Amino acid sequence: MTFDVDTLIERNPSPRASFALAREMMVERGDKSDWDLLHDLHYKAEALPFGPRFWRLRLFDETIGVIVTGSPKGMLRERHLVFPKLAPGAGETKLTNTNRYLYINQNFRVISRFVVDTMYRGIGVGYRMMNLVSRMEGNTFMEIQSSMSKFNLFGQKAGFRFVEPMNANKFDAGMKFFRSHFEASPQDYLAIVGEIEGKSPAAAAKLVQACKDFYLRNSALENTGANRERGAARVAAMSTVEVIKGIQQMSLASPMYGVWKCPDPKGSVPDRLPILQFDRQGPNERLKLDAPQ
């Protein structure tokens, strides 16, 4: 017995992989317990930004991603490149400074912490969540400062535009300090701490104090805003590891600055959206909430 069998072969010229469980993922408001659940997967797990808000990515009843947004910095040189009218200039007064801060706080937020469970990385949920949270925050501009944006284009895929990376403000001063006090590479805090611990107690204490003095003198974090009143006490209480990391952050960090402008009218975006809502319009287009689910 013979059979006539027709074999049909189709070729998709533009195949696109999909992750079936993405249909069940929702972006919504969260709380600090969501951050506590996943924060150990983030390299900056120690502290949260000022004025944090929490957003989570849920798969059924499980939190698999968290974004923490915070209040923006009042002064940021990379922002001044993008928004030159916000840069300080001659003739500044207390009134103009106050109004600048009011405008920034009313119109800007910053993505401060962002972590996805390792089980769900590499499937495209990161940039989708980043875009949707930026809309759901309800501000005109969302900022991000991220060193990882040099290597992973999640911000660019989310619609953010970036300025050229720049050296830290205190790069030259930091390099001079490290090279004049340590043999170890400035990037290797473990080697620097080991070098300190290898000295006599008196020499180690003197070197740690020199580090604290340098950090306090040069750190914008300790010399602006509310920290000015207690900066000396905060720095005095720092451990050796904390002060070395502080100097490194101040002098070696060169995160890329990105900004995204929300195309949606304020108050028009729900505070709960499916992750695949991102795919129903361009990253810089208004939400198409009437699209089929």
Side-chain angles (χ1 to χ4, degrees), residues 72 99 101-109 138-140 266:
N99 285 333
Y101 275 72
L102 288 174
Y103 178 83
I104 291 171
N105 284 328
Q106 290 168 0
N107 291 277
F108 287 77
R109 290 286 287 177
N139 286 75
T140 304
K266 289 189 177 182

Side-chain angles (χ1 to χ4, degrees), residues 82 111 114 126-135 140-144 149 152-163 257-263 278 281-285:
V82 183
I111 292 178
F114 187 11
Y127 63 85
R128 287 177 169 88
M129 183 183 182
M130 184 174 170
N131 178 272
L132 295 180
V133 166
S134 297
R135 297 174 186 270
T140 304
F141 299 104
M142 181 66 81
E143 297 179 319
I144 186 171
S149 294
N152 189 323
L153 302 183
F154 61 90
Q156 290 85 339
K157 291 179 180 178
F160 283 66
R161 299 184 67 182
F162 290 81
V163 303
Y257 171 84
V259 64
W260 181 85
K261 184 176 182 180
C262 185
F278 173 88
Q281 64 284 307
N284 301 102
E285 297 176 350

Side-chain angles (χ1 to χ4, degrees), residues 227-272:
N227 281 345
R228 287 181 300 177
E229 305 299 325
R230 56 181 186 273
R234 279 167 45 87
V235 174
M238 282 183 169
S239 67
T240 301
V241 170
E242 287 173 334
V243 72
I244 295 301
K245 283 188 173 182
I247 296 173
Q248 288 178 323
Q249 181 69 24
M250 175 181 71
S251 57
L252 300 180
S254 60
M256 288 180 64
Y257 171 84
V259 64
W260 181 85
K261 184 176 182 180
C262 185
D264 305 299
K266 289 189 177 182
S268 68
V269 181
D271 57 7
R272 190 170 191 265

Side-chain angles (χ1 to χ4, degrees), residues 96-284:
T96 58
N97 277 323
T98 300
N99 285 333
R100 178 190 295 109
Y101 275 72
L102 288 174
Y103 178 83
I104 291 171
N105 284 328
Q106 290 168 0
N107 291 277
F108 287 77
R109 290 286 287 177
V110 59
I111 292 178
S112 180
R113 305 285 186 268
F114 187 11
V115 61
V116 175
D117 191 311
T118 53
M119 289 287 291
Y120 301 97
R121 295 180 184 178
I123 60 173
V125 298
Y127 63 85
R128 287 177 169 88
M129 183 183 182
M130 184 174 170
N131 178 272
L132 295 180
V133 166
S134 297
R135 297 174 186 270
M136 296 157 79
E137 271 285 348
N139 286 75
T140 304
F141 299 104
M142 181 66 81
E143 297 179 319
I144 186 171
Q145 281 191 287
S146 166
S147 297
M148 284 300 297
S149 294
K150 300 174 185 176
F151 315 105
N152 189 323
L153 302 183
F154 61 90
Q156 290 85 339
K157 291 179 180 178
F160 283 66
R161 299 184 67 182
F162 290 81
V163 303
E164 291 289 332
M166 306 168 65
N167 280 338
N169 285 332
K170 297 297 181 178
F171 176 79
D172 291 335
M175 290 298 95
K176 182 177 180 180
F177 176 81
F178 278 122
R179 289 166 179 162
S180 62
H181 289 79
F182 300 99
E183 294 293 331
S185 169
Q187 293 91 345
D188 191 344
Y189 85 89
L190 287 175
I192 292 173
V193 172
E195 197 172 320
I196 294 173
E197 292 175 346
K199 296 181 179 296
S200 67
K206 183 177 180 180
L207 187 51
V208 170
Q209 188 58 52
C211 291
K212 291 182 177 182
D213 291 343
F214 176 81
Y215 176 69
L216 180 61
R217 186 167 62 251
N218 290 277
S219 173
L221 181 64
E222 305 298 341
N223 289 286
T224 58
N227 281 345
R228 287 181 300 177
E229 305 299 325
R230 56 181 186 273
R234 279 167 45 87
V235 174
M238 282 183 169
S239 67
T240 301
V241 170
E242 287 173 334
V243 72
I244 295 301
K245 283 188 173 182
I247 296 173
Q248 288 178 323
Q249 181 69 24
M250 175 181 71
S251 57
L252 300 180
S254 60
M256 288 180 64
Y257 171 84
V259 64
W260 181 85
K261 184 176 182 180
C262 185
D264 305 299
K266 289 189 177 182
S268 68
V269 181
D271 57 7
R272 190 170 191 265
L273 288 170
I275 193 72
L276 293 183
Q277 175 66 52
F278 173 88
D279 299 329
R280 297 175 186 138
Q281 64 284 307
N284 301 102

